[in-house]
Amino acid sequence: MSVGTSATVAARYNAESPTCGIAEAVASLPPTGGVVHVPAGEYSLRATVHLPSGVRLAGDGVATVLSIAPIQQVALGGDVDGGARVVELAAGHAFRSGDAIGLRDETNAGWWGTHTTVSRVEGSLVHVDDPVTRALSTEAGARAVNLFPAVQANDATDVEMADLTIRGPDGYAGAWWDFTYSAVHLVGCRRTRVQNVTVSGWPSDGISVQRGSDAQVTGCQAHGNSGHG
């Protein structure tokens, strides 16, 4: 990790950004990585903060809060083929460009569900950046949801996050969403460190480590979540 390189979200804060400027601060680091400081405050996320190799995301403890809006589920208006980049929704929705969403039905969830980002909205038609991974059926309850990991790293090395609070929607009492929606989702990573991170009220698992090696989770709390710690 390039500890000599740092960026602060304070200089890039933008309430209209899907990550309030956190992703922009991460993107400002060189390819070797560095440290992103997230100052005290609440950051309302509409999309995941993705951490590449060599990046440390550090807050100010309980005073730095990453939160998400109340869960909105919308049924799809028709079946969708795998590979599609446009889905039709059956009812009114509040999705907008830049929102991370999940697409799934009762057959295709977990690793077989789709995580993607809204690129544009045309009435009931929602265009997405990443294609639907598998066909979805309205008979099987196909739906879109505005839920996503707060912080995620995929196939990365030397990733750290520390001194953060991640909070789900106030008063959420709904069903568990599968593990791919975990608040902290680390997949196939090497030498990862999660330190002094608290996750509460999340509609899925709190901190999830899938595959990879040398992952350390220390001094963390996970409580009131719908899934595992």
Side-chain angles (χ1 to χ4, degrees):
M1 179 177 296
S2 179
V3 295
T5 304
S6 63
T8 177
V9 177
R12 297 167 177 82
Y13 179 80
N14 178 3
E16 292 303 309
S17 161
T19 63
C20 294
I22 301 175
E24 288 84 346
V26 171
S28 75
L29 297 174
T32 50
V35 179
V36 170
H37 176 233
V38 189
E42 182 166 351
Y43 301 81
S44 182
L45 303 180
R46 295 191 291 116
T48 299
V49 176
H50 292 278
L51 299 184
S53 295
V55 171
R56 174 182 173 87
L57 187 71
D60 288 331
V62 295
T64 298
V65 180
L66 309 184
S67 64
I68 57 173
I71 297 298
Q72 176 189 193
Q73 296 185 61
V74 182
L76 268 57
D79 295 346
V80 177
D81 294 331
R85 290 181 180 270
V86 182
V87 297
E88 181 178 3
L89 302 182
H93 65 89
F95 299 149
R96 55 177 167 150
S97 177
D99 285 357
I101 62 171
L103 298 166
R104 55 163 289 178
D105 61 18
E106 295 308 314
T107 301
N108 292 304
W111 292 128
W112 297 277
T114 297
H115 291 269
T116 188
T117 303
V118 175
S119 57
R120 73 179 190 275
V121 176
E122 298 174 340
S124 62
L125 298 181
V126 173
H127 298 251
V128 296
D129 288 341
D130 298 312
V132 177
T133 55
R134 298 198 178 200
L136 300 175
S137 164
T138 55
E139 250 184 49
R143 57 199 184 274
V145 62
N146 63 328
L147 181 60
F148 46 85
V151 182
Q152 182 163 342
N154 291 327
D155 192 27
T157 302
D158 293 324
V159 167
E160 299 181 11
M161 61 195 77
D163 304 317
L164 297 165
T165 297
I166 303 175
R167 192 174 66 209
D170 291 339
Y172 180 78
W176 172 77
W177 288 79
D178 67 61
F179 62 92
T180 62
Y181 294 92
S182 301
V184 175
H185 193 46
L186 307 176
V187 183
C189 296
R190 299 154 297 279
R191 296 196 299 274
T192 53
R193 304 290 184 263
V194 184
Q195 303 166 324
N196 302 323
V197 172
T198 296
V199 183
S200 64
W202 199 258
S204 175
D205 298 351
I207 299 172
S208 176
V209 179
Q210 306 292 332
R211 304 193 307 271
S213 62
D214 191 7
Q216 297 183 19
V217 179
T218 57
C220 296
Q221 297 185 46
H223 49 86
N225 303 310
S226 296
H228 301 292

